[in-house]
């Protein structure tokens, strides 16, 4: 198992290197750089002045040199002040070095946010923390409810309970976040007035009033999907020979389900639950913008809309890392839960 984890970590590092290089190349295409220069100067700035801004702020250096500086494997070079001719920081609001030094992602320096006028780390990590709180409450709501629905539906295949819960699960899975979010806002915020249609105040304090709608919107889709997977797994387990043998020995139906069927039925849903993390990253982009909750998704949209190159790169790095690490945890957890699986 240790050898397997080490091999996977090596593969993850190589994958992150390749993906970040592709993202770095796409974000630093010339049209994006010119948009950044325009946003940081004036709309009517001449082409020569825009080019001068890009040169003075280090955006016209060699691609591989800039990528190496961003990673921290190539010394970051200071820019030259056009007025004095002396080395200076790229941006006054960041702690960029004024002499060549290793200062990149590997050293914990994610660059400067041109939109928020601060370091990327000081904006990105609080946003990740806010999204982590949202994800925690989504999982607290989503996982128990979905497992309960799936187990109840799968215990007695074809019953009225099974058909009712299956229809509800399919309906929730077929409803995207931007649709359910609008429906919940209209019903619970506009008509009934029970909940707040904006989660902006949640950054100052989470309450049931301002945090329920985004949690409900994210959880409702995942509940249906996990419930369907749990039901299918439960139905398969309940038809196994050892379940029939346990019933013939005189064990009660509830005892058979709890002691024999439940653990094996939860192996597949565990993998599905772990794979919800990459989906949640996509879902939070829609939900956080819809409810004005200033987390990772909201920050990503703001960075993309304002050509904030370093912040976009930081968001991309975090997204790739979360996807890869959850897949690793899923594979390792599956091997532990299923004794028939052996790591070769």
């Amino acid at each position: 198992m240790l050898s397997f984890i080490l091999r996977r970590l090596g593969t993850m590092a190589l994958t992150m290197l390749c993906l970040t290089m592709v993202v770095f190349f796409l974000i630093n295409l010339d049209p994006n750089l010119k948009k950044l220069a325009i946003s940081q100067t004036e709309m009517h700035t001449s082409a020569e002045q825009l080019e001068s801004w890009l040169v003075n702020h280090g955006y016209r250096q060699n691609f591989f040199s800039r990528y190496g500086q961003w990673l921290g494997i190539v010394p970051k070079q200071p820019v030259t002040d056009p007025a004095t001719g002396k080395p200076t920081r790229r941006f006054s609001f960041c702690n960029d070095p004024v002499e060549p030094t290793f200062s990149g992602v590997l050293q914990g320096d994610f660059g400067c946010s041109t939109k928020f006028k601060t370091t990327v780390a000081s904006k990105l990590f609080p946003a990740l923390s806010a999204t982590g709180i949202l994800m925690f409450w989504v999982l607290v709501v989503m996982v128990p409810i979905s497992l309960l629905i799936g187990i109840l539906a799968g215990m007695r295949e074809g019953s009225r309970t099974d058909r009712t819960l299956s229809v509800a699960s399919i309906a929730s899975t077929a409803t995207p976040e931007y649709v359910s979010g609008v429906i919940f806002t209209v019903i619970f915020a506009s008509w009934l007035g029970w909940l707040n249609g904006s989660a902006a105040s949640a950054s100052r304090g989470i309450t049931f009033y301002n945090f329920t709608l985004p949690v409900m919107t994210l959880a409702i889709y995942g509940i249906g999907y996990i419930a369907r997977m749990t039901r299918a797994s439960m139905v398969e387990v309940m038809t196994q020979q050892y379940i029939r043998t346990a019933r013939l020995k005189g064990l009660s139906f509830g005892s058979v389900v709890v002691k024999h069927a439940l653990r094996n039925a939860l192996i597949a849903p565990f993998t599905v639950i772990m794979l919800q993390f990459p989906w949640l990253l996509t879902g939070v982009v829609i939900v956080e913008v819809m409810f004005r909750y200033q987390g990772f998704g909201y920050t990503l949209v703001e960075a993309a809309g304002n050509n904030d190159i370093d912040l976009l790169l930081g968001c991309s790095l975090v997204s790739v890392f979360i996807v890869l690490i959850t897949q690793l945890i899923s594979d390792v957890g599956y091997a532990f839960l299923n004794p028939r699986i052996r790591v070769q």
Side-chain angles (χ1 to χ4, degrees):
M1 178 62 73
L2 180 59
S3 175
F4 168 75
I5 293 175
L6 291 176
R7 289 198 305 270
R8 286 296 300 272
L9 289 175
T11 304
M12 286 171 54
L14 182 60
T15 303
M16 291 183 67
L17 181 66
C18 295
L19 289 177
T20 53
M21 181 177 291
V22 172
V23 173
F24 192 91
F25 172 77
L26 295 175
I27 291 177
N28 283 278
L29 289 174
D30 194 65
N32 293 331
L33 293 179
K34 289 182 177 179
K35 290 179 182 177
L36 172 63
I38 292 173
S39 67
Q40 295 299 305
T41 54
E42 296 179 1
M43 291 295 295
H44 301 291
T45 304
S46 66
E48 292 77 10
Q49 290 174 317
L50 293 178
E51 183 65 23
S52 176
W53 187 92
L54 291 173
V55 172
N56 293 335
H57 288 82
Y59 288 103
R60 289 307 191 193
Q61 297 179 24
N62 177 269
F63 169 79
F64 291 102
S65 175
R66 286 193 59 215
Y67 180 69
Q69 292 177 29
W70 179 74
L71 281 181
I73 58 176
V74 173
K76 185 175 287 187
Q77 302 294 327
V79 296
T80 302
D81 189 342
T84 63
K86 296 181 179 180
T88 184
R89 294 185 174 93
R90 283 197 311 157
F91 300 102
S92 60
F93 47 82
C94 278
N95 296 322
D96 281 341
V98 293
E99 58 184 22
T101 183
F102 291 94
S103 180
V105 171
L106 296 178
Q107 290 80 28
D109 180 7
F110 290 82
C112 302
S113 170
T114 53
K115 159 64 178 175
F116 297 101
K117 307 299 181 184
T118 184
T119 61
V120 169
S122 63
K123 182 63 183 178
L124 179 60
F125 292 116
L128 278 173
S129 176
T131 296
I133 295 172
L134 176 60
M135 283 188 174
F136 171 78
W137 286 110
V138 169
L139 292 173
V140 166
V141 173
M142 180 175 66
V143 173
I145 294 177
S146 58
L147 292 180
L148 180 61
I149 291 174
I151 292 170
L152 291 176
M155 283 170 54
R156 300 186 182 276
E157 182 185 10
S159 64
R160 181 178 297 179
T161 300
D162 177 26
R163 292 195 297 271
T164 302
L165 294 177
S166 295
V167 169
S169 299
I170 294 173
S172 67
T173 305
T175 307
E177 299 90 346
Y178 55 86
V179 174
S180 59
V182 172
I183 293 174
F184 290 152
T185 301
V186 170
I187 295 176
F188 296 105
S190 299
W191 290 355
L192 300 177
W194 293 349
L195 302 173
N196 191 350
S198 172
S201 60
S203 59
R204 298 187 298 271
I206 295 174
T207 64
F208 181 85
Y209 180 67
N210 65 15
F211 209 58
T212 301
L213 280 181
V215 171
M216 287 173 55
T217 302
L218 278 173
I220 195 69
Y221 180 90
I223 286 175
Y225 184 62
I226 298 174
R228 291 289 296 167
M229 293 297 297
T230 306
R231 177 199 174 276
S233 182
M234 194 71 181
V235 168
E236 181 181 359
V237 169
M238 292 300 291
T239 59
Q240 297 298 314
Q241 187 64 42
Y242 67 88
I243 297 295
R244 297 193 187 98
T245 302
R247 290 287 286 158
L248 291 174
K249 287 182 178 180
L251 293 178
S252 64
F253 183 76
S255 178
V256 169
V257 170
V258 173
K259 294 183 178 180
H260 298 278
L262 199 54
R263 177 181 176 180
N264 291 328
L266 292 179
I267 293 176
F270 169 79
T271 304
V272 175
I273 291 169
M274 292 308 302
L275 294 179
Q276 293 302 299
F277 284 92
W279 163 78
L280 281 173
L281 278 180
T282 305
V284 295
V285 174
I286 300 172
V287 171
E288 288 183 358
V289 172
M290 180 180 295
F291 295 104
R292 300 190 59 79
Y293 182 69
Q294 298 188 17
F296 176 79
Y298 181 88
T299 302
L300 176 60
V301 171
E302 288 293 309
N306 293 275
N307 302 290
D308 195 335
I309 290 178
D310 287 350
L311 186 54
L312 272 174
L313 288 170
C315 292
S316 302
L317 183 65
V318 168
S319 301
V320 171
F321 176 78
I322 291 177
V323 170
L324 294 176
I325 199 68
T326 51
Q327 289 180 347
L328 175 61
I329 294 173
S330 174
D331 291 342
V332 173
Y334 193 87
F336 276 111
L337 287 173
N338 191 347
R340 294 170 295 181
I341 299 295
R342 291 294 179 264
V343 179
Q344 301 296 329

